[in-house]
Amino acid sequence: MTPPHRAQRAIAAASLALAVAVGGLATASTAQAYDTDTTTISCSAVKVRKAPSKTSTVVGIGYRHDKVLYDQFAYKKAEKTWYTRGTVTRKSDGKKIRGYMIYNCANPYQTNPAPKPSIPN
């Protein structure tokens, strides 16, 4: 039989480990969801990045009506921004670029569209 203080320490350690694990999931910086389909780029141009972040390395540029074969969505909690991951096939030169784009520019569901620019009077 273990002394009461050892049992209490074991219970405290287990509950602390569980709290750290749950807290780590709750504070994850990027949430991800998967889906696969094709769409086209709706913005005039969009930067395709290596990772879902505004400061990530740009691997290429996609232009309006270029095809996108997407397979993942990511939400960057710190930036409060959704990203679409996929492969852009450019119409101009046929080049394929793989990476993350701002969701509003590669939006297969046409939800949360980018705001339309206002015309000054």
Side-chain angles (χ1 to χ4, degrees):
M1 182 168 174
T2 60
H5 67 281
R6 278 194 174 172
Q8 289 172 345
R9 259 198 240 168
I11 291 171
S15 62
L16 181 61
L18 180 62
V20 167
V22 170
L25 290 175
T27 60
S29 64
T30 305
Q32 300 178 359
Y34 295 90
D35 190 8
T36 303
D37 206 353
T38 57
T39 188
T40 59
I41 293 178
S42 59
C43 299
S44 58
V46 64
K47 293 178 182 176
V48 180
R49 298 183 178 274
K50 195 178 262 190
S53 172
K54 292 177 185 174
T55 58
S56 178
T57 305
V58 175
V59 293
I61 305 287
Y63 299 97
R64 185 182 310 269
H65 303 298
D66 287 349
K67 289 184 181 180
V68 178
L69 175 62
Y70 64 88
D71 60 6
Q72 182 182 25
F73 301 102
Y75 180 73
K76 186 73 172 189
K77 187 175 178 181
E79 298 174 2
K80 297 180 182 172
T81 305
W82 279 97
Y83 290 89
T84 302
R85 183 181 76 178
T87 303
V88 176
T89 304
R90 290 201 303 222
K91 290 174 92 175
S92 61
D93 59 2
K95 184 176 180 183
K96 293 188 178 195
I97 307 162
R98 178 123 178 104
Y100 291 86
M101 318 141 253
I102 297 287
Y103 178 79
N104 285 343
C105 292
N107 181 349
Y109 304 113
Q110 301 306 314
T111 55
N112 301 328
K116 296 191 182 350
S118 61
I119 300 171
N121 291 332

